[in-house]
């Protein structure tokens, strides 16, 4: 998320453009899930620009945002890491995938059975989902997303994992203080690293 509807829209379009370049640079079918991640992140930003413009609430844009952020990403990232892992690293990649599938299952269930709302809070958007065992779900989510990258065979993917972990902590602190949201900057950096990774592939 960014700090305004306009910022979200332009960030989403820019990140999506990086995703198009990454997809165009793919040489192996197994690289497609990670190469396409910037497209997903860009779409996420564009969806949130619609949340800003509708003033939050519980509309379709809020639900789409939540589906991408909650159940989809913790499956997408470890699947992407698994499809590019060398044979020796595939067993290691199954741990974050299992965590992601379990976490995504719980999150998807609660998105179906409980309301999701958004609130505009100055320069941030707050999303409200009633989730039990939030700390456990967060641990599973981080293991699936950041953990999958940190356990990857590739040096650039491990770097991305370090950046994602540190960046997410900073972004979360700024967001929780309702100062300004910088998630879109993290998404942009991650997308550029993924583009560099795709282009470095033999």
């Amino acid at each position: 998320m960014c700090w305004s509807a306009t910022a979200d829209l332009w960030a989403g379009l820019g990140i999506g453009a990086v995703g198009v370049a990454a997809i165009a640079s793919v040489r192996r079918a197994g690289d497609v899930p990670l190469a396409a991640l910037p497209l997903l992140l860009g779409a996420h930003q564009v969806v949130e620009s619609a949340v800003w413009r509708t003033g939050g609430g519980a509309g379709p844009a809020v639900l789409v945002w939540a589906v991408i952020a909650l159940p989809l990403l913790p499956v997408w990232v470890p699947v992407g890491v698994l499809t590019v892992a060398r044979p020796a690293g595939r067993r290691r990649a199954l741990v974050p995938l299992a965590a992601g599938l379990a976490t995504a299952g719980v999150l998807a269930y609660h998105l179906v059975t409980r309301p999701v709302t958004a609130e505009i809070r100055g320069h941030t958007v707050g999303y409200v989902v009633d989730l039990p065992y939030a700390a456990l779900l967060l641990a599973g989510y981080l293991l699936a997303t950041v953990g999958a990258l940190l356990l990857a065979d590739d040096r650039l993917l491990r770097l991305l994992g370090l950046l994602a972990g540190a960046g997410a902590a900073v972004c979360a602190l700024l967001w929780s203080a309702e100062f300004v949201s910088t998630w879109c900057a993290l998404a942009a950096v991650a997308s550029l690293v993924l583009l560099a990774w795709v282009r470095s592939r033999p």
Side-chain angles (χ1 to χ4, degrees):
M1 65 182 74
C2 281
W3 52 88
S4 71
T6 302
D8 255 324
L9 178 61
W10 285 108
L13 293 174
I15 293 167
V18 173
V20 171
I23 291 290
S25 302
V26 166
R27 299 183 187 91
R28 302 179 183 185
D31 294 352
V32 170
L34 286 180
L37 184 55
L39 279 176
L40 181 64
L41 296 176
H44 202 219
Q45 301 294 148
V46 172
V47 167
E48 189 172 68
S49 73
V51 175
W52 278 100
R53 294 181 193 284
T54 57
V62 174
L63 182 59
V64 171
W65 187 95
V67 167
I68 294 172
L70 299 178
L72 187 53
L73 277 176
V75 174
W76 190 297
V77 174
V79 164
V81 171
L82 180 64
T83 61
V84 301
R86 291 190 286 267
R90 286 180 187 152
R91 181 175 295 177
R92 186 171 63 240
L94 291 174
V95 174
L97 178 58
L101 289 169
T103 303
V106 174
L107 292 171
Y109 172 78
H110 287 289
L111 287 181
V112 169
T113 59
R114 301 182 184 190
V116 185
T117 58
E119 301 172 356
I120 308 300
R121 303 171 183 168
H123 293 291
T124 67
V125 181
Y127 294 88
V128 180
V129 187
D130 182 19
L131 295 174
Y133 311 110
L136 184 59
L137 288 172
L138 178 61
Y141 192 99
L142 291 174
L143 175 57
T145 52
V146 176
L149 293 167
L150 290 175
L151 292 172
D153 298 319
D154 188 274
R155 178 182 58 84
L156 271 176
L157 292 181
R158 292 196 300 272
L159 172 63
L160 178 57
L162 289 172
L163 291 172
V170 171
C171 291
L173 286 173
L174 291 173
W175 174 81
S176 62
E178 297 184 7
F179 175 63
V180 68
S181 181
T182 53
W183 291 104
C184 56
L186 176 59
V189 170
S191 297
L192 290 172
V193 173
L194 283 169
L195 176 59
W197 168 77
V198 171
R199 291 183 170 174
S200 72
R201 298 282 282 165

